[in-house]
Amino acid sequence: MLDVSTILAGPLACQILGDFGADVVKIEHPVAGDSMRGHGESKDGVPLWWKEISRNKRTVGLSLSAPEGAALFRRLAATADVVVENFRPGTLERWGVGPDVLLTDNPGLVIVRLTGFGQTGPYSERPGFGTLAEAMSGFAFMTGDVDGPPTLPSFGLADSICGIAASSATMMALRHRDATGEGQVVDVSILEPIMAAVGPAPTIYQQLGVVPQRHGNRSTNNAPRNLYRARDGRWVAVSSSAQSIADRLLTLVGHPEVLDEPWFSSGRGRYEHVELLDRYVGGWVAERDRDEVIAAFTDAGAAVAGVYDAQDLVNDPHVRATQMLTEVPDDELGPVLMHNVMWRMSRTPGEIRFTGRAKGADTDEVLTDLGCTAQELAELREKGVVA
């Protein structure tokens, strides 16, 4: 895989596939480097997010906008299974390495193109970022307090959903390639995956003429479903999507009488009485510390979770026991705690082989394997084409 994408969806898609054995070659500008290197926190000048998002990737400094660099990229793509890129539509074509050229050289190549709004349509030329997709998808409109403003996440939600979707799309295209020998272009926008995550608001509008509104931490599909503050000031999240859970919950908090009410037998019916149910649950939670609340819910078979910060997550016994987070050796930082591979597979388990590497760490190895001589590499380095 050739990863010529940057913040954030493309690199995450390649990270996921690299975790499960893909030989990912990260290609970044030889001078500026990848912008992910300057994204987020750092320690002693060492970028922390880079260590995770670029794990299991060999790194090559190569300028695709230089004719010599484009020629090398074309040679690399001729030997690859997948190219992942997120330049504005037309950029690869302008450099002479568009899909028509790459698929002529390598008919089985899968080219995954990630942009804010896709390769076609009136918005295709616009700069696209996850923030814009979070706004346009309906996510921001549906998120926040009832009487408050729309709310954006403070992290890369749309990009991350897109990256996970793109990893799936890549595997579908490879499955087709393995069956037919045919490569193809995969057009993934940041907007569409988060639209799916937000839910069927367009269908509701088209069928009923209703525009769904935000409801804070509540859901119109069931109740009780909210955040509740415990006596010690910490918060818990409660959900009762299943009827049996709702029955157990209201019995636990001392109001089994509502189970006999006709409206209690459906999620929508319970939502119509959400103020009453929130008062019952919230009052019960407020009289107990968070750990006491979680223990009581667990014993009763009701659904609850603490509202965690990063420290809570790192110290959670389930997270630790299942190795959702894992420490990986790093030459610069020592053991680095990071998210483990995203799912467990019994036959083909994933693995973090190494953390994100220094810029150009593997340029000589990759390009020498391609047939470049030491003299050629020195000349290209002098011109700023490679690093």
Side-chain angles (χ1 to χ4, degrees):
M1 291 185 66
L2 301 179
D3 178 5
V4 289
S5 62
T6 187
I7 305 170
L8 168 63
L12 179 58
C14 295
Q15 176 208 306
I16 292 169
L17 295 174
D19 286 348
F20 287 93
D23 177 14
V24 182
V25 176
K26 174 67 185 179
I27 295 177
E28 55 185 318
H29 193 276
V31 178
D34 191 287
S35 53
M36 278 299 301
R37 292 185 181 274
H39 215 66
E41 302 288 343
S42 63
K43 179 182 178 181
D44 300 328
V46 178
L48 299 180
W49 202 346
W50 179 262
K51 293 297 182 180
E52 177 171 326
I53 199 70
S54 292
R55 69 194 190 195
N56 295 332
K57 301 178 186 180
R58 295 189 288 166
T59 61
V60 171
L62 180 65
S63 174
L64 273 62
S65 62
E68 301 96 329
L72 284 173
F73 177 70
R74 185 172 172 179
R75 289 168 60 187
L76 283 170
T79 69
D81 296 292
V82 181
V83 169
V84 179
E85 65 96 4
N86 70 337
F87 298 105
R88 285 202 203 181
T91 301
L92 289 186
E93 289 84 349
R94 189 169 68 251
W95 292 337
V97 288
D100 289 349
V101 172
L102 299 184
L103 286 169
T104 299
D105 295 342
N106 182 357
L109 183 66
V110 172
I111 304 171
V112 183
R113 314 193 79 174
L114 300 107
T115 56
F117 305 105
Q119 296 293 313
T120 61
Y123 298 166
S124 60
E125 296 295 326
R126 292 183 180 182
F129 297 99
T131 300
L132 311 186
E134 288 148 8
M136 286 185 62
S137 65
F139 175 86
F141 183 82
M142 292 290 293
T143 303
D145 292 334
V146 176
D147 299 324
T151 302
L152 291 168
S154 60
F155 53 91
L157 178 63
D159 283 285
S160 297
I161 295 173
C162 181
I164 297 168
S167 71
S168 176
T170 301
M171 294 308 300
M172 292 178 193
L174 286 173
R175 175 70 171 168
H176 175 79
R177 192 279 309 271
D178 291 346
T180 66
E182 298 174 340
Q184 61 180 298
V185 177
V186 181
D187 179 4
V188 185
S189 76
I190 299 174
L191 178 58
E192 287 180 277
I194 192 172
M195 284 173 58
V198 170
T203 304
I204 294 169
Y205 173 71
Q206 185 260 339
Q207 291 291 314
L208 302 176
V210 173
V211 176
Q213 302 294 306
R214 53 186 168 275
H215 299 277
N217 293 316
R218 291 171 170 170
S219 167
T220 59
N221 297 317
N222 70 84
R225 190 267 200 183
N226 211 330
L227 299 181
Y228 304 96
R229 190 172 187 175
R231 182 172 57 193
D232 56 5
R234 296 189 290 178
W235 294 80
V236 295
V238 172
S239 180
S240 57
S241 297
Q243 184 65 42
S244 60
I245 299 295
D247 293 349
R248 294 170 196 161
L249 172 55
L250 269 297
T251 300
L252 172 65
V253 301
H255 289 279
E257 73 279 0
V258 298
L259 276 62
D260 297 326
E261 297 287 347
W263 52 263
F264 194 78
S265 62
S266 71
R268 290 290 291 187
R270 294 196 302 275
Y271 176 73
E272 291 173 0
H273 295 78
V274 66
E275 297 293 345
L276 174 68
L277 297 177
D278 270 351
R279 189 162 63 248
Y280 287 163
V281 176
W284 187 90
V285 170
E287 294 174 351
R288 293 158 177 83
D289 291 344
R290 187 182 74 174
D291 290 347
E292 182 183 354
V293 171
I294 292 174
F297 269 66
T298 302
D299 290 343
V304 70
V307 176
Y308 280 5
D309 59 21
Q311 182 177 1
D312 292 324
L313 191 63
V314 167
N315 293 322
D316 181 85
H318 181 80
V319 171
R320 298 183 73 87
T322 56
Q323 296 185 311
M324 293 181 183
L325 299 172
T326 187
E327 286 190 347
V328 184
D330 180 78
D331 292 340
E332 295 177 288
L333 298 172
V336 177
L337 187 70
M338 62 178 62
H339 301 104
N340 208 338
V341 297
M342 203 170 286
W343 46 79
R344 312 291 181 261
M345 299 179 69
S346 62
R347 296 288 186 182
T348 54
E351 178 187 12
I352 304 172
R353 300 179 298 280
F354 52 87
T355 58
R357 294 161 68 77
K359 185 177 68 176
D362 305 286
T363 298
D364 288 359
E365 176 188 39
V366 171
L367 296 185
T368 298
D369 290 345
L370 196 64
C372 292
T373 66
Q375 181 177 348
E376 288 173 323
L377 289 173
E379 292 173 354
L380 290 170
R381 202 164 263 121
E382 180 70 22
K383 294 179 179 179
V385 175
V386 305

